[in-house]
Amino acid sequence: MFQIGLVADIQYASKPGNPMMNSSLTRLQEAVQYWDQKGVSFVINLGDTIDGGRDEQESKDDMIKVVNCFSKDTTIEHVIGNHCLKRNKREVVRHLLGIQSDYRVVDLPHDWKLIVLDTTELSVCGGGFPEGTYQHCETMEFLKDNPTVETYNGGVTSKQLKWFRDVLLDLSSRSVDGKLIHHKKVIVAAHHPVGPIVPTHQAWNAADIRSVMNDFPSLVHTVFSGHYHEGGYVLLNGVHYLTLSSLMSCDDNSFAVMEISDLTIKINGCDTEQHNYTLKPKPETLPRSDNFVC
């Protein structure tokens, strides 16, 4: 068994006028203290690390404060969210969060894999990618064909979608004695929800992302996301889609510890709103507990 900390939409802001955002740094410190007590040494931050300050420098300063809250001995896999790009250029966000690649594969214990997707690659947040880049061209083309989409959402480019397919294809080819090594041992993380939890808050081309996963039904176990502050869950085609509640929008706090044992993922929600889940491969029903951990 191994553990992973989960947090979404910290959305810290030092600018006055929003007590919830102002207090999210304290909430994160409480989460870090809890993870340290539990011996959690790996955390996934599902994006919107900051709200976006009044200017570029304030946004940088806010993000530095959040990054410094995490334990130095803990590995943090940051996902880029739309608010991260509200005032800062992408290269600045990458540098501050220590991100080498916006989308990537991360090795986890016991042959598990984490695939981080970047659903802000198609985006108009902060101006998006510069004109002339393929990301900008695809964004403009998508908005032309879909003029009514919510602009606080975003999506993945065709290049990233192909990369995702190639990764799953490679993982599907790995076996020992005829048994798939990574059978239901793939976790996906993206800021914008990929599952159809609420139509107003999901990746623009979420259906295309799901279509890729559906072509490899023996691989993906669970997709985690943030963005929709209320959180939610749906099981679709044998894949669990779980959106975490925002850390800063609950009455007390909102974060979680994921325990992975064999092929079962237990989500222990650490507040009175982050529900507990037991996620098994292709279950017919999902047991849900009303007993909270913290």
Side-chain angles (χ1 to χ4, degrees):
M1 189 269 285
F2 63 98
Q3 300 180 107
I4 294 176
L6 294 169
V7 66
D9 299 85
I10 300 166
Q11 222 158 318
Y12 171 66
S14 58
K15 59 187 177 185
N18 194 314
M20 296 296 287
M21 292 179 182
N22 299 154
S23 68
S24 65
L25 207 61
T26 301
R27 293 167 177 243
L28 179 59
Q29 290 168 344
E30 293 172 358
V32 170
Q33 183 178 16
Y34 181 85
W35 290 327
D36 288 347
Q37 290 172 350
K38 292 293 183 180
V40 175
S41 60
F42 189 100
V43 172
I44 302 173
N45 169 23
L46 289 160
D48 279 0
T49 301
I50 59 171
D51 181 64
R54 290 167 291 187
D55 54 41
E56 184 177 351
Q57 188 59 52
E58 186 174 75
S59 293
K60 287 181 183 178
D61 293 342
D62 286 352
M63 191 166 286
I64 290 170
K65 290 177 184 177
V66 174
V67 170
N68 287 341
C69 266
F70 289 101
S71 296
K72 297 296 183 275
D73 296 330
T74 300
T75 299
I76 314 295
E77 285 297 334
H78 293 283
V79 179
I80 296 178
N82 50 296
H83 277 271
C84 298
L85 301 168
K86 189 174 179 180
R87 295 283 183 264
N88 292 123
K89 294 180 179 179
R90 184 172 293 264
E91 54 267 29
V92 173
V93 173
R94 287 193 193 113
H95 174 72
L96 293 175
L97 295 179
I99 295 174
Q100 299 298 317
S101 178
D102 297 345
Y103 50 93
R104 56 202 181 271
V105 181
V106 180
D107 293 332
L108 298 175
H110 309 301
D111 296 320
W112 283 76
K113 296 286 184 179
L114 167 65
I115 299 177
V116 177
L117 297 180
D118 176 21
T119 54
T120 67
E121 199 180 23
L122 296 184
S123 175
V124 294
C125 292
F129 278 87
E131 289 188 28
T133 61
Y134 71 89
Q135 295 97 333
H136 180 268
C137 292
E138 285 196 30
T139 297
M140 294 300 103
E141 183 177 346
F142 185 90
L143 291 175
K144 181 181 178 181
D145 295 338
N146 303 272
T148 61
V149 296
E150 301 289 356
T151 54
Y152 52 71
N153 294 328
V156 301
T157 62
S158 56
K159 180 179 179 181
Q160 184 180 168
L161 205 61
K162 181 183 182 303
W163 170 88
F164 186 38
R165 178 177 292 278
D166 289 345
V167 168
L168 294 181
L169 181 62
D170 176 58
L171 294 178
S172 70
S173 68
R174 301 182 186 183
S175 61
V176 174
D177 297 329
K179 294 182 179 180
L180 189 63
I181 294 175
H182 306 293
H183 173 72
K184 283 298 177 181
K185 287 189 172 184
V186 175
I187 297 168
V188 177
H191 177 63
H192 299 92
V194 176
I197 293 173
V198 288
T200 56
H201 289 69
Q202 66 174 323
W204 285 342
N205 47 3
D208 294 333
I209 301 172
R210 294 197 302 269
S211 178
V212 171
M213 292 188 287
N214 291 341
D215 289 341
F216 302 91
S218 60
L219 287 177
V220 179
H221 188 295
T222 302
V223 180
F224 292 101
S225 61
H227 191 55
Y228 179 56
H229 290 188
E230 299 303 312
Y233 168 85
V234 66
L235 174 64
L236 188 64
N237 295 327
V239 176
H240 301 282
Y241 295 89
L242 182 60
T243 297
L244 264 70
S245 305
S246 166
L247 175 138
M248 66 94 189
S249 58
C250 294
D251 288 338
D252 49 6
N253 207 335
S254 182
F255 58 95
V257 174
M258 169 169 51
E259 295 180 354
I260 301 180
S261 179
D262 296 324
L263 295 181
T264 298
I265 294 178
K266 289 185 65 177
I267 307 296
N268 298 320
C270 296
D271 73 325
T272 55
E273 295 188 32
Q274 194 75 269
H275 293 87
N276 298 342
Y277 296 87
T278 299
L279 310 179
K280 297 183 179 181
K282 294 188 178 180
E284 294 182 4
T285 58
L286 178 74
R288 176 168 169 170
S289 171
D290 289 325
N291 298 316
F292 304 102
V293 176
C294 301

